[in-house]
Amino acid sequence: MTEVTREVFGHLPQKGGRGGAVEKFLLKSDSVKVEIISLGCIITALETKGRDGNLSDIVLGFDRLEGYVNKHPYFGATIGRVANRIANGKFTVEGKEYQLALNNPPNSLHGGNKGFDKVLWTPEVLLNGIRFSRTSPDGEEGYPGELKAWVTYTLDGGELVINYRAQSNNTTPVSLTNHAYFNLAGQGSHDIYNHEVSIEADSYLPVDDTLIPTGEVAAVQDTAFDLRKPVELGRHMQKFQLPGFDHNFCLERSEVRRYCARAHHPPSGRTMEVYTTQPGIQFYTGNFLDGSLEGKGGSVYPKHSAFCLETQNWPDAVNKPHFPSALLRPGEEYNHTTWLKFTAA
């Protein structure tokens, strides 16, 4: 059984009469507790049990709404209309060129200046979860077409399921993901070097110095990106002199649920497995965290104090014809699901 409760988390500042109450929803099973707010469908807390049976909050974030309203690195947020980077913020659809905000110069990142992470969604409580919906107007952040989107979180025992659906009245690129930052030792822990990570991918996308894929689909074999067997992160990054990961790993394409990644923290016994229908997963090791933000309970979040495993389409796919298509056409439905399975042993 999953228990679902709601409360007011805070109020958005009134800008041109656009304030409003932000609600928080608590999903609770016998082994997992998740808190999600209606601003950006943000996961603000995620408590899972270690082998000692005690719950710890394993995602980075803030105690108060103010933290999420101010600038932050997308902690826990739903990302859209297009996750990740679009080169030079430009793309052409059906012969027309579109220009987006260059909010991560020289590129557009995570939907632009005011992406799906920074808007209020309309909540609907379900038996075992919560469904959020919104309509992104035609031209919002420079994207074509009115897009209706639904993000549904359900909790089933130790498994958090996130489903994304979208429909558009005009052809538009769409790629939705969640940007939760995890530390299985508990948020506020200093680093993730003792985590063991594996990703079920035979290839990855090399990037240029602005983190845009070069277009090459490279084999992981005999490289630092071969994570098909678990590696201890700190040791692995040292061995290959890696400043960290911020790369898309290419998954076997499938319409159905399939396993793609695993993170394990030996001291606590916590394990997270990721399953998805998406063609890619961005593995990010918190390289841009710098300890400047005050997080939950006064925690600071230095570099490499968390990781993200963001299931999504390949970055800049709208400009790379040989990548999986990012385009959603009228009459079609974008529909992807990601499952996060939490265990302890």
Side-chain angles (χ1 to χ4, degrees):
M1 272 297 291
T2 299
E3 195 184 309
V4 184
T5 53
R6 69 197 293 178
E7 61 185 66
V8 174
F9 185 61
H11 288 84
L12 288 177
Q14 299 277 349
K15 278 184 194 157
R18 287 207 170 172
V22 176
E23 285 193 277
K24 177 169 83 175
F25 299 85
L26 172 65
L27 278 46
K28 189 177 170 188
S29 73
D30 54 359
S31 59
V32 175
K33 287 202 307 208
V34 193
E35 293 178 10
I36 305 156
I37 59 173
S38 55
L39 176 72
C41 311
I42 292 171
I43 297 173
T44 56
L46 175 53
E47 296 184 24
T48 70
K49 286 181 177 174
R51 80 165 68 80
D52 60 6
N54 294 330
L55 287 166
S56 279
D57 184 1
I58 59 167
V59 295
L60 276 52
F62 304 103
D63 288 322
R64 286 182 297 282
L65 177 60
E66 184 187 10
Y68 295 105
V69 172
N70 295 335
K71 191 171 163 58
H72 69 97
Y74 306 95
F75 288 148
T78 290
I79 307 294
R81 203 177 274 199
V82 174
N84 218 303
R85 291 171 177 83
I86 293 179
N88 305 308
K90 277 192 175 75
F91 62 87
T92 300
V93 169
E94 294 171 350
K96 186 175 175 193
E97 184 174 274
Y98 294 87
Q99 177 67 58
L100 312 172
L102 305 182
N103 61 320
N104 184 242
N107 306 313
S108 187
L109 175 68
H110 291 337
N113 289 327
K114 191 177 182 183
F116 286 12
D117 59 299
K118 295 179 182 69
V119 292
L120 266 183
W121 292 65
T122 304
E124 179 195 347
V125 172
L126 309 175
L127 199 59
N128 59 342
I130 174 85
R131 177 184 296 127
F132 296 99
S133 59
R134 78 173 294 253
T135 298
S136 169
D138 180 23
E140 183 176 58
E141 282 299 324
Y143 287 96
E146 179 185 89
L147 185 84
K148 291 190 168 75
W150 297 265
V151 178
T152 306
Y153 293 90
T154 49
L155 184 61
D156 180 13
E159 197 161 83
L160 177 64
V161 187
I162 312 175
N163 173 258
Y164 306 91
R165 286 172 50 224
Q167 297 163 357
S168 179
N169 66 359
N170 221 324
T171 302
T172 180
V174 180
S175 178
L176 306 179
T177 192
N178 181 277
H179 211 305
Y181 285 72
F182 296 97
N183 187 319
L184 300 183
Q187 70 84 28
S189 300
H190 190 262
D191 62 57
I192 48 172
Y193 299 140
N194 61 356
H195 284 55
E196 294 170 359
V197 172
S198 54
I199 298 177
E200 193 76 3
D202 297 329
S203 51
Y204 78 102
L205 300 180
V207 292
D208 66 17
D209 54 10
T210 74
L211 298 174
I212 290 286
T214 61
E216 181 192 359
V217 180
V220 300
Q221 185 76 38
D222 302 324
T223 73
F225 300 91
D226 191 348
L227 304 178
R228 292 173 294 187
K229 292 197 174 78
V231 301
E232 189 182 294
L233 270 182
R235 204 175 287 171
H236 184 81
M237 280 157 54
Q238 206 173 12
K239 176 182 169 185
F240 288 98
Q241 297 294 293
L242 277 182
F245 287 93
D246 196 356
H247 295 79
N248 178 83
F249 287 76
C250 309
L251 306 174
E252 196 185 310
R253 291 185 218 176
S254 144
E255 301 293 301
V256 296
R257 165 181 171 141
R258 66 182 181 297
Y259 166 74
C260 65
R262 181 177 185 268
H264 175 62
H265 179 246
S268 67
R270 279 191 193 86
T271 298
M272 175 174 86
E273 289 180 340
V274 185
Y275 300 78
T276 192
T277 58
Q278 290 275 23
I281 186 166
Q282 185 86 3
F283 179 39
Y284 173 54
T285 49
N287 313 327
F288 295 111
L289 296 175
D290 60 8
S292 61
L293 294 172
E294 184 174 319
K296 289 181 276 194
S299 298
V300 290
Y301 301 136
K303 183 176 181 174
H304 298 158
S305 61
F307 65 90
C308 305
L309 285 166
E310 305 155 69
T311 52
Q312 56 189 45
N313 198 356
W314 300 5
D316 201 36
V318 71
N319 290 314
K320 307 270 197 297
H322 60 296
F323 282 11
S325 173
L327 297 180
L328 176 68
R329 293 176 172 83
E332 297 176 345
E333 183 172 77
Y334 175 95
N335 190 336
H336 279 288
T337 307
T338 292
W339 295 260
L340 302 175
K341 185 179 177 182
F342 300 98
T343 54

